[in-house]
Amino acid sequence: MAQTAGNNKLKVSSLFCGCGGMDLGIQGNFDFLDNHYAALPFEVVYAVDNDSYSTKIYNDNFEHKCEIKDVRAIIPNEVPDHDILLGGFPCQSFSISAQNPPRLGYKDDRGKLFFEMVKILKEKQPRFFIGENVKGLLSANKGKALPMIVNEFEKAGYHIHFKLLNASEFGIPQKRERIFIVGFRDFDDYFNFRFPRPNTLNGSKVKLKQVIDKEAHKDEKWFFSQRAIDGMLRVREKMNKGRVQDLEQPCNTISAHLAKVSLNGTDPVLMVGERYRRFTPREAANIQSFPLTFTLDSVSENRQYRAIGNAVPPVLMWHIANALVNSCVYEEVMNEEVMNEEVMNEEVNELIEA
Ligand SMILES: C[S@@+](CC[C@H](N)C(=O)[O-])C[C@H]1O[C@@H](n2cnc3c(N)ncnc32)[C@H](O)[C@@H]1O
């Protein structure tokens, strides 16, 4: 393992880190709504993204810093040793909403970026990796994209589990479905791993109204103009537009597209009285389960929407990382802590005896 003495955390390298949804989730120690998501035994030692705005948000929120870099420029043996590689590899080419241009899947250059993960896995052979992508990956390239990607990961020496998870089943006010691919270098880890079980078995999903900022109702800037409403109403029946959200339910999926939200698109919007309004960037971050302490303000609102819309919900990532700890890592961490405690006790005894 790539651990340093005195630190029993597993080291994480994060490709396509964006503003850090996955990275926050895997490290834990944050609050969302009434819950505390405990610190997990992971420490990010290397993070890269080529977007200077997302990385700015990232660097405002984490002690360690990420690099602005194209992952294709990474020389694998220069990546620091790590135990787990993360990669929410770009998804536009697999997305069902990306019909224009048509879905090219792995034939598109952006669809090939997961190969950069494969390259690093081949060279560094970390114990685990976690990849994330849109649901459309399941059907992209007539169903051939996912098996091809899994096959490449297997050729790099990994056993693979994958599963489609819905954020709304894990305490997040959003019906966001994403596929998670978890890779294991060691068969025992693969055998022991279980994806987290939905924690809404009693039917209690977090409602959108729990994360709405009522102060924003008072600010004209978030409301659509009458002209935009008239334009939408002219085509609404035919186009099924005007995606007003039910406050009593989790929100529909939000995406980077919120930066360009219009009433003629498919992005979710709010209805306040008789008027339509868009979400504020902070509300978008709430819908994605970022804690209120996560700061966004150093980049423009458009850039905030993009970074937040692209992110993996930290709470969802926390549940996956926690499941990994419980099924594969917990005993080791506990053993190491017991050993540390024994060493400490011995040292105390020696001092007492002296
Ligand atoms: C789905 S988002 C990842 C979100 C991130 N994992 C999170 O949880 O916040 C994909 C990211 O890939 C980045 N990206 C796209 N092409 C890239 C490239 N060639 N090199 C580095 N990063 C790239 C984008 O800027 C974007 O932030």
Side-chain angles (χ1 to χ4, degrees), residues 19 52-61 281-282 294-304 307:
C19 68
S52 59
Y53 303 98
S54 307
T55 47
K56 175 92 180 68
I57 299 178
Y58 188 107
N59 287 335
D60 289 342
N61 286 285
R282 173 52 60 191
F294 196 86
T295 61
L296 305 167
D297 299 340
S298 66
V299 303
S300 70
E301 280 165 359
N302 265 1
R303 297 293 173 180
Q304 295 176 34

Side-chain angles (χ1 to χ4, degrees), residues 2-274:
Q3 296 168 9
T4 54
N7 174 355
N8 60 8
K9 292 186 174 173
L10 301 191
K11 302 216 171 297
V12 180
S13 284
S14 175
L15 302 185
F16 316 105
C17 66
C19 68
M22 280 183 120
D23 299 24
L24 179 61
I26 200 167
Q27 294 195 152
N29 195 22
F30 64 94
D31 295 313
F32 178 65
L33 293 174
D34 291 333
N35 292 315
H36 180 66
Y37 293 88
L40 296 173
F42 295 100
E43 177 185 20
V44 179
V45 295
Y46 181 71
V48 173
D49 196 286
N50 70 349
D51 179 74
S52 59
Y53 303 98
S54 307
T55 47
K56 175 92 180 68
I57 299 178
Y58 188 107
N59 287 335
D60 289 342
N61 286 285
F62 292 90
E63 269 172 38
H64 64 275
K65 299 300 164 208
C66 72
E67 283 178 40
I68 308 173
K69 192 170 186 168
D70 191 314
V71 296
R72 288 168 294 192
I74 295 174
I75 299 166
N77 68 17
E78 289 177 0
V79 176
D81 288 346
H82 53 272
D83 302 285
I84 177 161
L85 181 69
L86 305 184
F89 48 94
C91 56
Q92 291 92 335
S93 43
F94 300 116
S95 170
I96 286 166
S97 61
Q99 296 295 355
N100 188 17
R103 286 196 296 160
L104 297 167
Y106 63 82
K107 292 179 184 157
D108 178 10
D109 269 353
R110 283 176 305 184
K112 288 184 187 142
L113 284 168
F114 82 94
F115 277 116
E116 304 307 317
M117 274 187 88
V118 173
K119 258 197 242 168
I120 293 175
L121 291 172
K122 279 186 177 155
E123 173 74 28
K124 304 295 297 188
Q125 291 284 296
R127 181 171 163 194
F128 309 108
F129 77 84
I130 302 179
E132 180 261 0
N133 216 282
V134 290
K135 184 182 176 184
L137 183 60
L138 291 171
S139 53
N141 295 101
K142 300 190 176 131
K144 288 188 193 144
L146 182 62
M148 190 280 285
I149 289 171
V150 166
N151 185 249
E152 290 299 324
F153 284 134
E154 285 172 345
K155 283 198 292 190
Y158 287 81
H159 308 282
I160 308 295
H161 285 296
F162 62 84
K163 190 164 185 176
L164 189 70
L165 298 178
N166 190 327
S168 69
E169 295 183 329
F170 294 90
I172 299 162
Q174 186 186 180
K175 296 174 231 162
R176 187 186 192 86
E177 288 186 294
R178 288 293 183 267
I179 182 159
F180 288 86
I181 305 172
V182 187
F184 306 83
R185 187 193 58 207
D186 304 329
F187 183 79
D188 281 355
D189 286 333
Y190 165 77
F191 183 79
N192 289 333
F193 179 71
R194 302 283 177 276
F195 272 102
R197 290 163 65 83
N199 64 5
T200 48
L201 292 177
N202 58 3
S204 60
K205 292 191 175 171
V206 180
K207 299 170 181 173
L208 175 57
K209 72 176 180 192
Q210 290 175 251
V211 294
I212 291 305
D213 174 10
K214 292 209 177 94
E215 285 302 302
H217 294 347
K218 298 178 193 158
D219 190 341
E220 203 48 39
K221 101 180 234 199
W222 305 115
F223 286 87
F224 289 96
S225 68
Q226 193 54 47
R227 201 164 143 237
I229 295 169
D230 292 343
M232 181 267 295
L233 290 176
R234 270 199 297 277
V235 287
R236 185 173 178 184
E237 291 233 322
K238 206 170 101 213
M239 306 279 285
N240 187 26
K241 298 284 168 64
R243 296 285 173 105
V244 176
Q245 299 300 295
D246 181 348
L247 289 169
E248 298 296 325
Q249 297 289 328
C251 188
N252 283 359
T253 306
I254 62 160
S255 74
H257 203 258
L258 267 196
K260 294 186 191 158
V261 63
S262 88
L263 284 177
N264 281 328
T266 54
D267 298 298
V269 297
L270 278 177
M271 186 134 215
V272 182
E274 299 283 292

